[in-house]
Amino acid sequence: MATKARKAKIQRISTETQSRGELNIDGCGKSKIKTPIGIITHMLELFTFHGFFDLALEVKGDTHIDLHHTSEDIGIILGKAFKDALKDKKGIKRFGSGFAPMEDALGHSVIDISGRGHFKMNYVQDAMPAFKDENGYTFKHLEHFLESFAKNIGANIIVTINNPLASADLHTIMETVFKSLGLALDQATTIDSRRKTVPSTKGIID
């Protein structure tokens, strides 16, 4: 059914960050990503590989001030790119779910490309915010990244992290999140040959 290439150009320039690149939803998992936040670069490589998206992205940011600006802006531009590439969303499955285990931790991502941006993360409240990597990237940065992505793609995303205390580092937890999100988004953006219209009884998804 998909006759037009589902691609989008990425460009966002602000006083805090400069981002350029291109997204192809119907890719094969190739990535060429360069950001000043090493753990995000790696996670986006996992996300694109397991989601079968092609992503070229180069980001510069004021990480000498704070990691927050750059992390949040990457979530924003990535969400906008997917929304742009999906166009009118005709024929997509819309819903997706993915699981990804790593050691004792298990990430589960559920997505509904509904046009309404909403994000929820379920985890052990008193433990997770303490996690950070050696370069200062924290669990709160991850939450803000995912919230920005959800709002800008226009999707309801719920991420659940099971048994996080069994894993002692943020890297492991983030791998389960980004892999499961890639799997879920691949499923949600897949064209269903049975669906000839926009997957909503309203006839439109904003």
Side-chain angles (χ1 to χ4, degrees), residues 40-108:
I40 282 293
T41 300
H42 177 49
M43 294 304 152
L44 290 180
E45 290 169 345
L46 297 173
F47 168 77
T48 57
F49 181 84
H50 293 287
F52 288 98
F53 313 120
D54 289 346
L55 178 64
L57 181 63
E58 183 173 359
V59 179
K60 298 178 181 178
D62 59 354
T63 52
H64 60 289
I65 296 175
D66 195 333
L67 298 181
H68 172 76
H69 294 156
T70 304
S71 177
E72 182 178 50
D73 277 14
I74 295 172
I76 290 171
I77 58 109
L78 194 62
K80 287 181 181 294
F82 270 95
K83 186 169 186 176
D84 186 24
L86 284 167
K87 300 176 174 62
D88 64 3
K89 307 173 184 67
K90 186 179 292 184
I92 65 169
K93 288 190 174 181
R94 177 177 161 174
F95 299 94
S97 175
F99 287 91
M102 188 169 184
E103 298 171 357
D104 291 334
L106 176 64
H108 179 206

Side-chain angles (χ1 to χ4, degrees), residues 96-100 106-110 158-162 176-177 180-181:
S97 175
F99 287 91
L106 176 64
H108 179 206
S109 295
V110 178
I158 299 175
V159 174
T160 301
I161 303 171
N162 294 304
T176 70
V177 171
S180 65
L181 183 60

Side-chain angles (χ1 to χ4, degrees), residues 14-191:
S14 75
T15 57
E16 297 171 347
T17 61
Q18 301 84 48
S19 305
R20 292 180 176 85
E22 185 173 0
L23 169 71
N24 179 10
I25 290 179
D26 303 305
C28 56
K30 295 186 298 183
S31 62
K32 186 178 181 181
I33 302 167
K34 184 178 181 181
T35 84
I37 305 175
I39 196 167
I40 282 293
T41 300
H42 177 49
M43 294 304 152
L44 290 180
E45 290 169 345
L46 297 173
F47 168 77
T48 57
F49 181 84
H50 293 287
F52 288 98
F53 313 120
D54 289 346
L55 178 64
L57 181 63
E58 183 173 359
V59 179
K60 298 178 181 178
D62 59 354
T63 52
H64 60 289
I65 296 175
D66 195 333
L67 298 181
H68 172 76
H69 294 156
T70 304
S71 177
E72 182 178 50
D73 277 14
I74 295 172
I76 290 171
I77 58 109
L78 194 62
K80 287 181 181 294
F82 270 95
K83 186 169 186 176
D84 186 24
L86 284 167
K87 300 176 174 62
D88 64 3
K89 307 173 184 67
K90 186 179 292 184
I92 65 169
K93 288 190 174 181
R94 177 177 161 174
F95 299 94
S97 175
F99 287 91
M102 188 169 184
E103 298 171 357
D104 291 334
L106 176 64
H108 179 206
S109 295
V110 178
I111 184 167
D112 171 17
I113 304 175
S114 61
R116 298 180 297 277
H118 180 77
F119 174 69
K120 170 69 175 178
M121 182 177 279
N122 300 312
Y123 57 88
V124 178
Q125 293 287 337
D126 60 348
M128 297 298 281
F131 282 107
K132 67 168 61 177
D133 77 348
E134 62 274 13
N135 296 311
Y137 197 85
T138 67
F139 187 78
K140 284 298 181 184
H141 287 129
L142 170 63
E143 284 191 288
H144 290 149
F145 174 97
L146 294 170
E147 182 178 25
S148 298
F149 177 72
K151 287 181 177 178
N152 284 278
I153 189 177
N156 188 11
I157 299 176
I158 299 175
V159 174
T160 301
I161 303 171
N162 294 304
N163 202 25
L165 293 179
S167 173
D169 63 85
L170 181 66
H171 188 139
T172 298
I173 293 165
M174 287 181 66
E175 282 214 20
T176 70
V177 171
F178 278 84
K179 287 176 180 176
S180 65
L181 183 60
L183 292 168
L185 191 55
D186 176 42
Q187 186 179 101
T189 58
T190 294
I191 298 295

